[in-house]
Amino acid sequence: MSMPAPSTDARVSVLLITYNHEGYVEKAIDSVLMQEVDFDFDIVVADDGSSDGTLSLIREIADQNPSVSFRFLRCDENVGITKNYQRAFAACDAEYIAVLEGDDYWVSPKKLAQQFRFLEKHRECDLCSVNYYVYEEGRAQFTPRVPPEQGHVVLGARELISDNLVGNFSTCMYRSRALKQLPDALFEARSYDWAVNICVARYGLIGFLREPMSVYRIHDRGAWSLLSHVQKLKAQLELIPTYDKITDGVFHYEFAVLAERLSKVIADAQGAQVVHAQSAALEVMSLPPQRHRVLDLVPPFMITVGRQLLPPFLKRHLIRLVFGGKGE
């Protein structure tokens, strides 16, 4: 195991986000300490006012590992997960920031090294994520997010809106500058990893490494985990208009399609037709019917490439020609 010496010039900051994680955080930190790297990293602890022994345990581990630089952010009260992330992102000044929530952990000693090398090589990407296992604690069951493979895929914001492959913060390593550019309005809403990563992917791509290197726990002490499947879908649906506004309507069509799909799933699950104000607010019905049928035949990556590469005047002309409506 190769450990970095304490340094104020760390290339990577491991951002440890904690809140009443006394029963889990030791395993989380152990998974950081096992990382095999040839660069300096530090651990930035952003605790959100834990009322248990989380902070005392972390300080004890820090004292036992003097070769690793631990930095503790001050927090005298519980500010909530969104505000805690905001202050934590602002406090990290390393070139890259890897996030680990205190009840998750990493399973590959090469996770940081592989993500670091990927971002060093792929300057078009501002985020590198990894495949992960979902661990259902009550059932003691591990399930990979997608089948384990080698290699990587590259995603844009539109693919992420359709399917949140990144999944959770504990899989992520960011370029610090991308996090510094996040809009302030994002932290005024209840923003999870999905919203943060959509905003990051507005200006850069996402690399997703297919090898599972992280574990996301589902347990009965997590606020999100306690929600039913339908409750989670409803929470996501309710936030879509806010995220659409935060991203200036750039992904309006994709958000509208997602809102329509979520509403149908919720209605089917409840065994009733649901009238949802969220979809109406997104004006999903104002989209020309032809658009749905034509775009369904076009691979998503071609849509993404076309939108990014076509000059605006040509894109507007093609939209008018194909759909008979106004350009985006």
Side-chain angles (χ1 to χ4, degrees):
M1 177 173 64
S2 174
M3 293 304 305
S7 173
T8 57
D9 299 318
R11 296 293 304 278
V12 175
S13 283
V14 176
L15 180 55
L16 182 64
I17 300 289
T18 58
Y19 177 65
N20 289 344
H21 289 149
E22 182 180 10
Y24 302 110
V25 74
E26 184 173 7
K27 188 162 189 173
I29 297 175
D30 284 347
S31 75
V32 177
L33 299 181
M34 76 174 183
Q35 294 299 303
E36 299 172 358
V37 298
D38 57 4
F39 52 81
D40 288 345
F41 71 79
D42 61 2
I43 299 176
V44 179
V45 180
D47 184 75
D48 193 18
S50 290
S51 59
D52 63 2
T54 297
L55 269 178
S56 297
L57 180 56
I58 298 174
R59 292 187 187 278
E60 181 181 336
I61 296 172
D63 290 341
Q64 294 169 355
N65 292 273
S67 64
V68 182
S69 175
F70 281 77
R71 183 155 59 98
F72 293 80
L73 302 186
R74 180 176 178 178
C75 187
D76 300 324
E77 60 180 343
N78 176 255
V79 297
I81 187 169
T82 302
K83 290 295 185 182
N84 194 34
Y85 265 106
Q86 183 181 28
R87 74 187 187 97
F89 288 155
C92 294
D93 51 12
E95 185 177 359
Y96 300 107
I97 299 174
V99 180
L100 179 58
E101 297 193 332
D103 53 349
D104 297 332
Y105 59 98
W106 299 334
V107 290
S108 170
K110 300 184 182 299
K111 176 186 178 292
L112 288 184
Q114 290 195 35
Q115 290 181 296
F116 178 86
R117 286 197 299 269
F118 182 91
L119 289 173
E120 286 282 281
K121 180 178 180 180
H122 295 272
R123 307 306 295 183
E124 73 277 13
C125 294
D126 284 337
L127 162 59
C128 180
S129 176
V130 299
N131 195 1
Y132 62 97
Y133 295 101
V134 176
Y135 175 52
E136 298 175 70
E137 189 173 79
R139 301 173 60 199
Q141 179 169 316
F142 291 85
T143 306
R145 172 62 174 84
V146 293
E149 295 181 33
Q150 295 300 308
H152 72 273
V153 295
V154 175
L155 310 169
R158 289 176 171 85
E159 288 85 359
L160 198 64
I161 291 171
S162 177
D163 179 14
N164 184 15
L165 187 60
V166 173
N168 62 90
F169 274 124
S170 296
T171 70
C172 298
M173 179 184 283
Y174 301 90
R175 294 190 195 280
S176 179
R177 67 165 187 259
L179 294 177
K180 306 299 184 187
Q181 294 172 350
L182 291 172
D184 291 338
L186 184 64
F187 299 101
E188 298 304 320
R190 188 163 182 81
S191 298
Y192 301 97
D193 51 271
W194 184 60
V196 169
N197 293 336
I198 289 169
C199 288
V200 168
R202 181 175 177 181
Y203 302 105
L205 294 170
I206 299 172
F208 178 83
L209 308 185
R210 294 178 179 271
E211 179 184 349
M213 301 186 204
S214 184
V215 171
Y216 173 70
R217 290 183 190 262
I218 297 178
H219 56 85
D220 59 9
R221 276 160 282 186
W224 182 253
S225 301
L226 288 174
L227 298 178
S228 69
H229 179 61
V230 170
Q231 287 174 324
K232 290 176 182 177
L233 294 180
K234 286 183 176 180
Q236 184 181 13
L237 184 61
E238 290 171 0
L239 286 168
I240 284 176
T242 300
Y243 296 161
D244 184 42
K245 183 177 180 181
I246 289 171
T247 52
D248 302 316
V250 173
F251 309 117
H252 175 85
Y253 175 74
E254 287 76 17
F255 278 128
V257 171
L258 176 62
E260 188 174 39
R261 187 172 81 231
L262 291 178
S263 296
K264 290 179 179 177
V265 173
I266 293 170
D268 289 344
Q270 294 180 333
Q273 293 297 317
V274 177
V275 178
H276 43 86
Q278 292 85 356
S279 290
L282 289 171
E283 299 178 347
V284 67
M285 299 310 293
S286 69
L287 297 172
Q290 305 96 305
R291 184 171 189 176
H292 293 276
R293 292 198 300 268
V294 173
L295 289 185
D296 284 345
L297 301 176
V298 181
F301 81 92
M302 292 183 63
I303 297 173
T304 299
V305 171
R307 280 176 166 151
Q308 292 175 346
L309 298 183
L310 286 178
F313 76 91
L314 181 56
K315 183 167 66 172
R316 288 193 297 269
H317 176 73
L318 288 175
I319 290 173
R320 284 194 297 270
L321 180 65
V322 175
F323 303 123
K326 295 181 179 180
E328 295 178 328

